[in-house]
């Protein structure tokens, strides 16, 4: 869930940065189009001014030519020189017009590039700043993700270790308690069998000996003492068996509580732990 959460957060951040980038690009295009329109208007104005300037020059030259024509009779001697001078002026004007126009175009293009350069440089600096912030946030998220993965791996290892220890302990306790219960039951069964044999032998001895009542009473008392001793031993064995069964059942309850606390289902054990009944149940 945390990985999905941070994935969604990173996707939202990417979408936001992409939208911001598109918005800035659109703004740059709008500014560029505006600048182009302004430059075209400036060029048209400059072209009109140049056209008017050369129109005025041409008009002045025509006026001068007309004036010279009117004075041609008086200035025939200077006509050749003036014509030559006029030709030189026209040729010089033509020679200056083309470099001037090229220079103006070059200046306009350089100004346009300079404006775009400053704007692009500012936009690039802003993008780099946003990129650094985004990269820092990405590194922080990656570090948190790695820490969570390490903690998750550690918890899994602890769970597997506890599961293995629990399985070994269950097997050992089942083997020990089962073997001990078997020994106690066999010992108890042997004592009961021996008691029955002794009772039978005692009955045969009493029937064969024809003892007096006093002697028979004495023998009966001794026999009762022996039986009481054996009954006490049997009760002690039963108490030991009950304690062992209770310890085994308490241990099972403790392990089940630990499994529940660590979130491990009891079905994952692969077997059903044996719960011993108490003697007499």
């Amino acid at each position: 869930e945390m990985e999905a959460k941070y994935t969604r957060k990173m996707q939202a951040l990417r979408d936001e940065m992409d939208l911001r980038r598109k918005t800035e690009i659109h703004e740059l295009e709008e500014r560029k189009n505006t600048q182009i329109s302004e430059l075209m208007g400036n060029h048209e104005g400059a072209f009109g001014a140049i056209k008017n300037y050369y129109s005025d020059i041409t008009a002045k030259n025509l006026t001068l030519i007309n004036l010279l024509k009117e004075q041609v009779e008086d200035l025939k001697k200077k006509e050749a020189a003036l014509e030559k001078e006029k030709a030189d002026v026209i040729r010089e004007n033509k020679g200056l017009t083309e470099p001037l126009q090229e220079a103006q175009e070059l200046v306009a293009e350089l100004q346009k590039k300079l404006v775009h350069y400053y704007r692009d440089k500012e936009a690039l600096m802003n993008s780099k700043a946003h990129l650094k912030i985004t990269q820092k946030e990405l590194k922080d998220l990656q570090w948190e993700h790695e820490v969570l993965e390490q903690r998750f791996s550690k918890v899994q290892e602890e769970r597997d270790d506890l599961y293995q220890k629990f399985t070994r302990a269950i097997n050992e306790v089942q083997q020990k308690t089962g073997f001990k219960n078997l020994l106690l039951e066999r010992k108890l069964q042997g004592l009961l069998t021996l008691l029955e044999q002794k009772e039978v032998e005692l009955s045969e001895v009493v029937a064969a000996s024809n003892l007096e009542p006093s002697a028979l009473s004495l023998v009966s008392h001794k026999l009762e003492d022996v039986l009481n001793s054996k009954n006490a031993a049997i009760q002690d064995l039963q108490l030991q068996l009950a304690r062992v069964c209770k310890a085994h059942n308490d241990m099972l309850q403790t392990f089940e509580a630990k499994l529940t606390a660590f979130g491990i289902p009891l079905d994952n054990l692969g077997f059903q732990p044996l719960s011993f009944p108490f003697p007499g149940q």
Side-chain angles (χ1 to χ4, degrees):
E1 289 176 355
M2 294 183 71
E3 183 177 2
K5 175 182 176 182
Y6 284 111
T7 301
R8 291 193 299 269
K9 186 176 180 181
M10 290 172 66
Q11 186 62 37
L13 185 59
R14 288 193 184 100
D15 295 339
E16 181 181 358
M17 294 303 298
D18 189 32
L19 180 60
R20 188 178 300 174
R21 179 179 62 81
K22 291 180 180 179
T23 303
E24 292 176 354
I25 290 173
H26 182 67
E27 291 177 355
L28 288 174
E29 290 179 352
E30 289 182 353
R31 289 196 296 268
K32 180 181 69 176
N33 294 330
T34 303
Q35 184 65 25
I36 290 172
S37 300
E38 292 177 358
L39 289 175
M40 290 178 66
N42 293 333
H43 282 297
E44 290 177 357
F47 178 77
I50 292 172
K51 184 177 180 180
N52 294 329
Y53 171 73
Y54 284 106
S55 297
D56 293 337
I57 291 176
T58 304
K60 288 180 181 179
N61 289 332
L62 292 174
T63 303
L64 181 60
I65 291 170
N66 293 327
L67 181 61
L68 291 173
K69 283 182 178 181
E70 292 176 357
Q71 298 176 357
V72 67
E73 293 178 353
D74 298 333
L75 299 175
K76 285 183 179 181
K77 296 179 180 180
K78 298 180 180 180
E79 182 178 1
L82 291 175
E83 288 292 336
K84 184 179 179 180
E85 182 180 359
K86 182 184 73 173
D88 293 337
V89 170
I90 294 173
R91 185 169 54 253
E92 183 179 359
N93 288 336
K94 290 182 178 180
L96 292 175
T97 300
E98 293 180 357
L100 178 62
Q101 187 175 0
E102 292 178 357
Q104 288 179 344
E105 291 177 355
L106 180 61
V107 169
E109 185 177 0
L110 291 176
Q111 288 179 349
K112 179 181 177 181
K113 289 182 179 180
L114 183 62
V115 172
H116 290 171
Y117 170 75
Y118 286 131
R119 291 180 180 178
D120 293 340
K121 184 178 180 180
E122 184 179 358
L124 181 61
M125 292 177 64
N126 294 331
S127 299
K128 287 183 177 179
H130 290 305
L131 181 61
K132 288 182 179 179
I133 296 173
T134 305
Q135 288 178 346
K136 184 177 182 303
E137 292 179 355
L138 179 61
K139 288 181 180 179
D140 294 339
L141 293 175
Q142 289 176 347
W143 181 80
E144 292 180 2
H145 180 67
E146 290 179 358
V147 170
L148 291 175
E149 283 186 346
Q150 292 177 1
R151 290 177 62 187
F152 179 71
S153 299
K154 185 177 180 181
V155 170
Q156 281 186 333
E157 291 176 358
E158 292 178 355
R159 185 199 66 183
D160 295 338
D161 187 27
L162 288 174
Y163 177 73
Q164 293 175 359
K165 289 180 179 179
F166 171 73
T167 304
R168 288 195 298 268
I170 286 291
N171 293 330
E172 291 176 0
V173 171
Q174 282 186 341
Q175 292 175 359
K176 290 180 181 180
T177 53
F179 182 70
K180 191 171 183 180
N181 290 340
L182 182 61
L183 290 178
L184 291 174
E185 290 176 357
R186 289 184 178 180
K187 188 174 182 181
L188 180 61
Q189 187 65 32
L191 291 174
L192 292 175
T193 304
L194 181 60
L195 178 60
E196 292 177 355
Q197 291 177 358
K198 294 297 182 181
E199 288 179 352
V200 172
E201 291 175 359
L202 179 61
S203 299
E204 292 177 355
V205 169
V206 171
S209 61
N210 294 323
L211 295 175
E212 294 180 358
S214 59
L216 182 60
S217 176
L218 180 60
V219 171
S220 298
H221 286 300
K222 289 182 178 182
L223 182 60
E224 288 178 358
D225 293 337
V226 173
L227 291 175
N228 290 331
S229 176
K230 297 298 182 180
N231 290 330
I234 291 171
Q235 291 179 356
D236 184 54
L237 291 174
Q238 289 177 345
L239 289 175
Q240 292 182 13
L241 180 60
R243 285 196 296 270
V244 171
C245 291
K246 186 177 184 304
H248 175 75
N249 294 335
D250 291 342
M251 182 201 65
L252 286 180
Q253 293 178 358
T254 302
F255 278 115
E256 289 176 357
K258 289 292 184 181
L259 287 176
T260 304
F262 282 99
I264 302 175
L266 298 178
D267 296 337
N268 291 345
L269 291 178
F271 62 91
Q272 182 65 31
L274 181 60
S275 178
F276 291 105
F278 293 107
Q281 293 181 350

